[in-house]
């Protein structure tokens, strides 16, 4: 007989998901989880969801089963040029400021992260804005890095093939300039691929990224809505370690750091709030 998930099994699996990936699962989703995870019980020849929980709990981090679970629990909704008012602030305020700061320091390097990048649309959008800004010519070293915990999304992002809805708010001239049409779909052109990369990674464990160049800007939009305040606070602390002094953080329009963290100062622009890392000697956990 097909097993039904029991409340205790649901509680344990939810706790596991919150600890491992930060995602808070709503109380009412037991039916959804029961039906979505049942095929995994069959595949793994398990008798109950308690056995499935044990399999998750005692398997090594990042194992195959964790990857299956991630694709069930994540919401990957995204599209190109999402939340235009924030992107305007990037183009009109942040990029000119960065250029000035870098030129002053005699540097020609820009590093931007999209944390929780889903299938990559945000990363390619940021890359288009950088290239279109006219501030950073061929002699600048630009890299926009997308990080997501869901390996399927990272695969889609690397493939760089998109269609229909993904382009709902894309200016047509940019679609034409940066994509080649392939049947009903559009493929990202080489000019965007050269300045972008994608890494599977968990925002709760960003230590490996501390070995890379410090970030000038981090986008983490529409991710904290799935996290508890406590988890958000921890991730924001890691972001502070990844960012340059006075680096910038973009959150989704319904997300805020008020009452969560004072490591960043909110800066209000018409239609958008952007956060700037406070330059007050906060501990920076960056390894040498
Ligand atoms: C709704 S999408 C947001 C995509 C994009 N940032 C945007 O605003 O359009 C949320 C993404 O966050 C990712 N995510 C959730 N928890 C994560 C974690 N702990 N580490 C890394 N990525 C995570 C999900 O896999 C999903 O692709």
């Amino acid at each position: 007989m097909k097993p039904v998930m029991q409340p205790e099994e649901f509680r344990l699996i939810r706790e596991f998901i919150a600890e491992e990936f930060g995602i808070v699962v709503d109380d009412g989703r037991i039916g959804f989880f029961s039906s979505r995870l049942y095929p995994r019980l069959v595949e793994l020849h398990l008798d109950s969801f308690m056995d499935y929980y044990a399999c998750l709990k005692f398997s090594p981090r990042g194992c195959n089963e964790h990857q299956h679970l991630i694709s069930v629990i994540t919401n990957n909704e995204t599209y190109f040029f999402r939340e235009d008012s924030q992107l305007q602030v990037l183009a009109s305020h942040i990029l000119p400021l960065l250029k000035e700061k870098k030129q002053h320091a005699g540097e020609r390097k820009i590093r931007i992260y999209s944390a929780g990048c889903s299938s990559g649309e945000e990363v390619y959008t940021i890359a288009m804005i950088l290239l279109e800004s006219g501030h950073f010519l061929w002699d600048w070293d630009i890299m926009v890095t997308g990080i997501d915990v869901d390996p399927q999304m990272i695969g889609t992002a690397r493939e760089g093939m998109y269609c229909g809805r993904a382009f709902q708010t894309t200016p047509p001239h940019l679609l034409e300039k940066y994509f080649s049409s392939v049947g009903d779909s559009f493929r990202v052109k080489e000019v965007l691929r050269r300045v972008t990369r994608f890494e599977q990674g968990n925002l709760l464990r960003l230590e490996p990224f501390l070995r890379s160049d410090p970030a000038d800007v981090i986008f983490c939009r529409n991710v904290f809505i799935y996290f508890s305040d406590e988890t958000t606070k921890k991730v924001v602390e890691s972001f502070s370690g990844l960012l340059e002094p006075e680096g910038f953080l973009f959150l989704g329009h319904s997300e805020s750091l008020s009452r969560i963290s004072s490591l960043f100062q909110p800066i209000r622009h018409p239609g958008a709030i952007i956060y700037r890392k406070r330059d007050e000697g906060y501990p920076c956990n960056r390894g040498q």
Side-chain angles (χ1 to χ4, degrees):
M1 205 174 69
K2 187 174 168 177
V4 172
M5 193 181 281
Q6 300 303 308
E8 179 61 5
E9 295 169 327
F10 182 51
R11 185 184 70 76
L12 290 168
I13 292 174
R14 278 171 76 185
E15 266 179 27
F16 176 83
I17 291 168
E19 267 169 35
E20 231 9 71
F21 309 114
I23 296 170
V24 176
V25 175
D26 292 340
D27 288 346
R29 302 200 82 200
I30 186 166
F32 170 84
F33 268 67
S34 197
S35 63
R36 289 295 297 275
L37 293 179
Y38 175 67
R40 299 308 305 151
L41 263 61
V42 176
E43 177 85 6
L44 298 168
H45 307 289
L46 299 174
D47 293 331
S48 69
F49 287 103
M50 192 57 91
D51 291 348
Y52 183 71
Y53 164 71
C55 166
L56 289 172
K57 181 85 182 166
F58 300 109
S59 298
R61 202 161 255 163
C63 69
N64 203 19
E65 203 45 49
H66 289 192
Q67 317 286 335
H68 279 292
L69 181 68
I70 286 163
S71 56
V72 171
I73 58 178
T74 51
N75 175 341
N76 307 114
E77 160 80 10
T78 188
Y79 47 89
F80 292 100
F81 292 92
R82 184 174 193 179
E83 293 175 30
D84 185 57
S85 51
Q86 294 190 333
L87 302 175
Q88 299 283 351
V89 175
L90 175 72
S92 60
H93 287 77
I94 310 294
L95 295 185
L97 257 177
L98 280 181
K99 180 167 185 182
E100 202 186 311
K101 179 177 158 186
K102 299 281 171 164
Q103 278 182 328
H104 196 250
E107 246 190 63
R108 283 180 175 252
K109 199 187 260 189
I110 300 286
R111 294 288 180 263
I112 299 186
Y113 280 103
S114 159
C117 66
S118 188
S119 38
E121 287 87 331
E122 184 170 79
V123 171
Y124 293 124
T125 299
I126 297 166
M128 284 187 265
I129 293 170
L130 278 162
L131 297 179
E132 286 296 301
S133 72
H135 292 306
F136 311 105
L137 301 178
W138 59 271
D139 54 342
W140 281 75
D141 171 5
I142 294 172
M143 188 53 67
V144 186
T145 301
I147 304 171
D148 204 282
V149 72
D150 187 336
Q152 282 182 20
M153 290 302 113
I154 291 297
T156 306
R158 285 184 180 143
E159 195 186 357
M161 284 279 277
Y162 300 95
C163 53
R165 259 174 55 82
F167 294 108
Q168 58 187 292
T169 52
T170 304
H173 71 284
L174 297 183
L175 176 60
E176 193 170 324
K177 182 166 174 185
Y178 290 102
F179 296 83
S180 325
S181 135
V182 182
D184 289 343
S185 305
F186 294 88
R187 189 198 303 276
V188 166
K189 283 189 183 169
E190 187 55 30
V191 63
L192 284 186
R193 289 192 190 274
R194 272 204 295 270
V195 295
T196 51
R197 67 186 187 112
F198 296 93
E199 301 277 346
Q200 192 199 348
N202 187 340
L203 301 186
L204 273 57
R205 289 179 203 88
L206 284 171
E207 297 78 11
F209 295 92
L210 288 168
R211 291 193 286 272
S212 311
D213 291 322
D216 298 297
V217 183
I218 297 178
F219 278 73
C220 184
R221 302 189 303 166
N222 307 300
V223 180
F224 289 158
I225 36 173
Y226 304 105
F227 289 1
S228 66
D229 286 357
E230 195 190 341
T231 305
T232 300
K233 186 173 180 343
K234 281 190 198 142
V235 176
V236 166
E237 280 166 11
S238 310
F239 285 167
S240 176
L242 283 180
L243 277 165
E244 286 272 16
E246 303 201 322
F248 294 95
L249 173 63
F250 285 70
L251 303 182
H253 71 86
S254 62
E255 297 164 322
S256 155
L257 293 186
S258 66
R259 296 191 307 277
I260 294 183
S261 174
S262 55
L263 291 175
F264 288 82
Q265 179 191 0
I267 303 171
R268 279 160 221 285
H269 292 273
I273 297 177
I274 311 302
Y275 291 88
R276 185 169 58 199
K277 178 174 157 178
R278 290 185 199 270
D279 184 22
E280 290 167 12
Y282 278 94
C284 171
N285 307 319
R286 177 170 293 286
Q288 296 304 310

